[in-house]
Amino acid sequence: MVESLIFGAVASSALLIGALVGVRFELPKRVLAILLSFAAGALITALAFELFEDAYEKGGLWLAVIGLFAGAVVFTVLSALLDRWAQPGPRSKDAEKQQGSAKLDTDAAAQEKAPTAASAQGAAGLALLAAVTLDGVPENVALGVSLTEGTGGLALLAAIFVSNLPESLVGAASMREQGMAKGKAVGLWAVCAVLLVIAVVIGAGPLATAEAETISLPLAFAAGAVIASLADTLMPEAFEHGGPAVALSTAAGFALSFALSLA
């Protein structure tokens, strides 16, 4: 229980750190792109070696595949709804040309360009908060489960941490641009952090004694949600604002996460 609380607190602390930075500072979009692509690389390792592989070993191929597609479908559908929420009203021609996800409005966190209409209305930050919670809960449940398997879950811990940081930074910055009180913005991300810590405890507690097939589903679901978030949000946003150079930071994130998985 103590170990799960520590791992959960470390993984979720990135949400608070990112929120505190986001409400106080403006960062260049290229820096945010590097953070996002590094997170993407780390998540690739985690979903392959800590999530889907474990799901396959516990429940077999068909159960793992079903869970994977369930996670991807749920994330994709809800992500589309969140994108629509983050872009209320009729879309302008400029908005139609916008690349990437409306949830991850890096313009609000960067000093190079004024925030978009979605960011100014605060929808982008709130939608991103919901998206982080959506894929964060199964990820953190999987982290808790990994602690009971003797693997330590270091790769998954690192991947969750480095993905939470830029997402909460951008989300808090969007809330700041909307005029939301800094304390309230940080408080919302703190609530999300507490929820994700609870998810780790559940994974290491009630699910620790569950049947292998039962554990396989949340692991595979988390893998599906992660791979969908990579394709839907992290990688498009990173490339849009960082260009081809983000390939190197993605490789660095993968290498670090893989090294941790061997520890």
Side-chain angles (χ1 to χ4, degrees):
M1 181 65 69
V2 174
E3 184 181 24
S4 64
L5 285 173
I6 293 174
F7 269 64
V10 171
S12 299
S13 65
L15 294 176
L16 286 176
I17 295 172
L20 289 171
V21 173
V23 298
R24 293 183 61 87
F25 303 102
E26 295 178 342
L27 298 178
K29 286 190 290 185
R30 187 169 295 274
V31 172
L32 296 174
I34 291 174
L35 289 173
L36 290 173
S37 57
F38 187 89
L43 284 171
I44 291 172
T45 300
L47 76 89
F49 299 106
E50 296 264 3
L51 295 175
F52 191 74
E53 184 179 39
D54 284 352
Y56 163 71
E57 292 176 350
K58 294 179 185 302
L61 180 60
W62 283 109
L63 196 60
V65 170
I66 290 172
L68 179 80
F69 275 93
V73 168
V74 170
F75 183 91
T76 301
V77 170
L78 293 182
S79 177
L81 294 176
L82 291 171
D83 273 340
R84 182 170 298 182
W85 179 38
Q87 295 284 0
R91 301 187 65 181
S92 65
K93 292 184 178 180
D94 291 337
E96 291 177 353
K97 295 178 181 178
Q98 180 182 354
Q99 303 296 316
S101 170
K103 297 185 300 300
L104 208 53
D105 183 11
T106 51
D107 289 338
Q111 56 191 6
E112 300 176 17
K113 187 178 178 181
T116 64
S119 173
Q121 294 169 6
L126 292 173
L128 183 54
L129 175 65
V132 169
T133 304
L134 171 65
D135 65 354
V137 168
E139 284 176 6
N140 282 266
V141 168
L143 176 61
V145 170
S146 71
L147 297 179
T148 67
E149 300 297 314
T151 60
L154 288 178
L156 185 55
L157 173 64
I160 292 174
F161 184 93
V162 298
S163 62
N164 282 344
L165 183 63
E167 290 176 326
S168 62
L169 191 157
V170 173
S174 295
M175 294 173 180
R176 177 200 67 206
E177 291 296 330
Q178 178 242 1
M180 181 184 294
K182 294 180 179 179
K184 182 178 179 181
V186 173
L188 288 174
W189 286 99
V191 171
C192 179
V194 171
L195 178 62
L196 298 188
V197 171
I198 295 174
V200 177
V201 174
I202 291 175
L207 289 180
T209 57
E211 296 292 332
E213 291 79 6
T214 302
I215 299 176
S216 174
L217 284 174
L219 289 172
F221 186 93
V226 168
I227 200 169
S229 69
L230 287 171
D232 172 78
T233 302
L234 292 179
M235 286 182 168
E237 286 290 339
F239 183 80
E240 179 187 358
H241 298 301
V246 301
L248 297 178
S249 53
T250 302
F254 177 88
L256 175 61
S257 185
F258 183 78
L260 290 174
S261 70
L262 300 177

